[in-house]
Amino acid sequence: EGLETVKNQLNGFRHADVWEHPQPIKNELLPVTPLPPDIIPDCLKPWLQDIAHRMQCPLEQVAVPAMIMMGSVIGAGCAIRPKQKDSWMIIPNLWGGIIGHPSTLKSPALAETLLPLVQLETAARKKFQEETEDYTYKIEAYKIIKESKISQLKSDMKSNRMSMASQDIEREMKAVEPPEAPLCKRYKTNDATIEKMTELLEQNPRGMTLFRDELMGLFMTWDKQGREADRAFYLEAWNGYGSHTTDRIERGTTHCDNMCVSIIGGTQPSKILRYLQKAIRGIDNDGLVQRFQLFVYPDDLKTWQLVDRHPNKEAQETVFKLVETLSSMDFVKYGASQDEDKGIPYFRFSKEAQELFYEWLTELETTKLRGKEDAIIVEHLAKYRKLMPALALIIHLIDTANEIAEIDVSLQAAEKAAAWCDFLELHARRIYGMAAHMTLSAANILLKKLKQHKLENGFTVRDVYRKDWSLLSDKELAQDACDELVRLGWLREVITEPSFGQKGKVSYTINPKIGGES
């Protein structure tokens, strides 16, 4: 046995002398362009540019969550009907987030951008506490008045001074109305069961924002056995309308008229690849990923500079006031139409904006959705039927709250919305393109594990996928990754022929020039 070990070591040394230098894995991302500042609503621009500059991050990293936030405070309070006569209605709640590596300041950028929403919740909690204290006194006063009324009625009837039918007594008692219990206005949540979310939506009919710093944690929750109803609930809530009723023994019946949820968060490229892969391969493809129309994967800034200055307080206060105004705006007073059934108020495009939308929609339907695109791109772009009008409405209402808008959704708002769609399409193609080159992505991950010495000489494909590493837990992808590293010179196949009833196998020898990585 000792002699055999020495022979194997010598054989390894001999092979090390003839290993070629391995080739790099070229898995380049498709190009994207920086977000043009001109398509950002004017009153948001100074605030967003200030945050991006102080954090030294791409502008889209703060602009995207800002637009989702604006759509969330409008929510089901207002809609747009994109066609001039049709009743087709779109609610401006949006889903999206930031894709980037751990060092790209996703979390700080999201936290800074969502501060106006946090401020709204803080003010709402303070108001609720004050109203709850007042309610305590009001309910006690109501009890005293009610008991006094009952005593009076009993006394009058006993003394035969009055004779009342039951409906008269009911009328007298109804005249003593109880005080209305206060409700704490909510704007966002980080985690909620569908029963609790239904309750929140019942109390907050404009809708809710679901914010998760790591979106894949949310996705994984929906993947769990027994949580299929959660996934279906949120898929429906993307539309922003429609009612939902839950019946539970302990909680009873909870009903909401508007299923309106906005979703925002961040994730890393390697973590989302699994879900992109499923969508592309048609495995459990229910359109979940495609609903995240505002997903962006920006390039890192080419240069970095040290910035240490106070936030732009004036710009910040302008946006805080804007968000507060939108959250309580009576849209009918600002020109929104409303049908006789008192449903959701809505706007329409101006004449010029209507022409632009028809041109845009025609190009989308005839060129992009019926061209020679990959199925996953078509599925994603089909959701832009909602995206463009929703963005146009958000931009219009921001201008309205800032008192610079016309009654109808303007041409300028429609042009900016169309430009946003062009910008987001580039990011969608980059993100799905990243998944389309899944083999190279898997090979990259496997190479990183090899540099970290997570595998030893003689490992097999089975050893790889049993590790349950991201993207490599799939047997076929693990095999493809090994084949790619063999082709590039990082690995060599060692084929053991079957003998003595044993099955043959393929194992892999690692290039000794691979180096290491902490």
Side-chain angles (χ1 to χ4, degrees):
E1 291 181 3
L3 180 61
E4 189 66 27
T5 300
V6 172
K7 285 181 179 180
N8 288 336
Q9 289 177 344
L10 290 173
N11 189 45
F13 293 144
R14 184 170 65 254
H15 276 82
D17 293 337
V18 297
W19 279 91
E20 298 291 335
H21 193 75
Q23 301 175 42
I25 299 173
K26 295 181 179 180
N27 189 21
E28 297 179 354
L29 295 170
L30 292 175
V32 294
T33 57
L35 178 69
D38 290 343
I39 71 175
I40 299 173
D42 292 338
C43 60
L44 298 184
K45 202 181 304 180
W47 175 61
L48 293 174
Q49 288 178 324
D50 175 63
I51 298 174
H53 181 64
R54 286 188 291 110
M55 289 194 172
Q56 289 292 285
C57 69
L59 183 59
E60 51 266 40
Q61 201 156 306
V62 291
V64 162
M67 294 300 286
I68 298 173
M69 176 181 64
M70 295 297 169
S72 74
V73 294
I74 299 165
C78 187
I80 182 170
R81 295 192 176 180
K83 293 182 178 179
Q84 201 62 38
K85 300 175 182 177
D86 202 285
S87 60
W88 174 32
M89 182 176 68
I90 289 173
I91 306 295
N93 63 309
L94 298 170
W95 293 9
I98 312 301
I99 298 175
H101 297 288
S103 60
T104 51
L105 299 174
K106 298 186 301 299
S107 297
L110 286 167
E112 182 83 7
T113 310
L114 295 180
L115 277 178
L117 214 56
V118 174
Q119 188 183 59
L120 278 182
E121 289 235 309
T122 302
R125 279 195 299 270
K126 182 180 179 181
K127 182 180 178 183
F128 175 70
Q129 290 170 357
E130 293 171 353
E131 290 178 345
T132 300
E133 187 175 344
D134 291 340
Y135 177 73
T136 303
Y137 297 111
K138 289 178 180 178
I139 198 68
E140 291 300 322
Y142 163 73
K143 290 178 181 177
I144 293 171
I145 295 171
K146 181 180 177 182
E147 289 172 2
S148 175
K149 187 70 174 178
I150 292 172
S151 297
Q152 180 186 341
L153 288 171
K154 286 181 177 179
S155 176
D156 289 345
M157 293 181 72
K158 283 181 179 179
S159 62
N160 293 321
R161 285 198 298 249
M162 60 184 296
S163 177
M164 304 178 73
S166 60
Q167 58 265 32
D168 296 325
I169 297 174
E170 288 177 10
R171 185 174 60 252
E172 287 287 331
M173 292 304 302
K174 285 179 180 178
V176 186
E177 293 185 357
E180 188 175 344
L183 290 174
C184 184
K185 176 70 176 172
R186 293 290 304 276
Y187 296 91
K188 69 177 182 68
T189 181
N190 300 107
D191 189 21
T193 63
I194 57 175
E195 292 82 12
K196 185 61 180 179
M197 183 60 87
T198 305
E199 182 180 307
L200 288 170
L201 292 173
E202 178 188 23
Q203 298 170 0
N204 302 275
R206 283 201 182 185
M208 292 288 296
T209 298
L210 178 56
F211 169 59
R212 290 295 289 265
D213 188 50
E214 176 47 70
L215 277 173
M216 292 309 104
L218 181 65
F219 283 21
M220 290 173 67
T221 299
W222 292 343
D223 284 346
K224 291 180 180 177
Q225 188 173 3
R227 301 296 292 270
E228 296 83 2
D230 294 40
R231 189 183 185 101
F233 174 88
Y234 284 103
L235 287 173
E236 291 180 41
W238 176 80
N239 292 315
Y241 53 80
S243 61
H244 184 81
T245 303
T246 57
D247 296 296
R248 297 291 183 270
I249 292 175
E250 293 184 2
R251 299 183 71 95
T253 298
T254 308
H255 176 83
C256 68
D257 289 320
N258 296 321
M259 290 179 65
C260 181
V261 178
S262 303
I263 300 181
I264 185 172
T267 190
Q268 299 173 30
S270 59
K271 290 185 177 181
I272 198 174
L273 277 174
R274 171 187 170 191
Y275 293 93
L276 295 172
Q277 178 193 13
K278 282 184 176 182
I280 289 173
R281 292 185 174 184
I283 303 172
D284 298 329
N285 182 18
D286 53 11
L288 174 65
V289 176
Q290 296 91 315
R291 281 168 166 77
F292 283 82
Q293 301 153 348
L294 273 78
F295 253 152
V296 290
Y297 185 1
D299 292 323
D300 294 335
L301 295 180
K302 294 182 179 179
T303 59
W304 179 90
Q305 58 178 307
L306 177 64
V307 178
D308 184 8
R309 73 181 192 194
H310 293 292
N312 185 336
K313 285 292 184 183
E314 183 181 352
Q316 191 178 69
E317 288 300 322
T318 297
V319 174
F320 282 7
K321 184 179 179 181
L322 169 68
V323 172
E324 184 180 7
T325 301
L326 286 173
S327 69
S328 58
M329 181 180 284
D330 183 344
F331 300 103
V332 174
K333 290 183 179 179
Y334 286 87
S337 301
Q338 195 169 34
D339 292 338
E340 293 180 0
D341 60 1
K342 300 297 182 182
I344 297 173
Y346 60 90
F347 286 87
R348 293 193 190 270
F349 286 116
S350 68
K351 181 180 178 181
E352 297 80 6
Q354 190 70 66
E355 292 175 0
L356 174 67
F357 174 71
Y358 285 153
E359 290 175 7
W360 178 89
L361 183 63
T362 300
E363 181 185 359
L364 175 71
E365 295 285 355
T366 59
T367 304
K368 295 181 178 180
L369 302 186
R370 288 167 175 77
K372 297 181 179 180
E373 296 281 7
D374 291 336
I376 192 67
I377 295 294
V378 172
E379 291 169 11
H380 186 90
L381 294 181
K383 305 296 183 185
Y384 281 25
R385 295 181 182 118
K386 170 178 178 174
L387 178 61
M388 190 276 193
L391 287 170
L393 178 61
I394 292 169
I395 295 167
H396 170 72
L397 290 175
I398 289 173
D399 290 342
T400 299
N402 210 31
E403 299 181 350
I404 58 172
E406 303 171 3
I407 293 178
D408 294 325
V409 178
S410 67
L411 175 62
Q412 183 184 46
E415 288 174 337
K416 287 185 176 182
W420 266 98
C421 290
D422 291 339
F423 166 77
L424 291 167
E425 182 181 336
L426 290 176
H427 282 266
R429 292 183 182 278
R430 163 177 280 195
I431 293 164
Y432 289 114
M434 172 181 67
H437 296 86
M438 202 67 67
T439 296
L440 296 179
S441 300
N444 250 325
I445 294 172
L446 179 56
L447 178 58
K448 184 176 181 179
K449 300 298 182 183
L450 293 175
K451 289 182 176 181
Q452 294 173 343
H453 309 292
K454 300 289 186 181
L455 293 166
E456 298 180 354
N457 273 330
F459 74 88
T460 64
V461 169
R462 186 170 181 265
D463 295 326
V464 175
Y465 66 75
R466 288 188 67 187
K467 295 283 188 181
D468 202 29
W469 288 323
S470 173
L471 210 61
L472 293 169
S473 57
D474 180 86
K475 182 178 179 180
E476 292 181 3
L477 264 179
Q479 180 66 67
D480 292 344
C482 290
D483 292 344
E484 184 65 19
L485 293 185
V486 169
R487 188 183 71 80
L488 296 174
W490 295 97
L491 298 175
R492 279 183 182 165
E493 285 185 344
V494 178
I495 301 175
T496 303
E497 299 294 338
S499 61
F500 302 109
Q502 298 289 326
K503 290 183 178 181
K505 71 172 185 177
V506 176
S507 59
Y508 296 93
T509 302
I510 304 169
N511 189 332
K513 299 178 181 180
I514 199 167
E517 185 178 288
S518 59

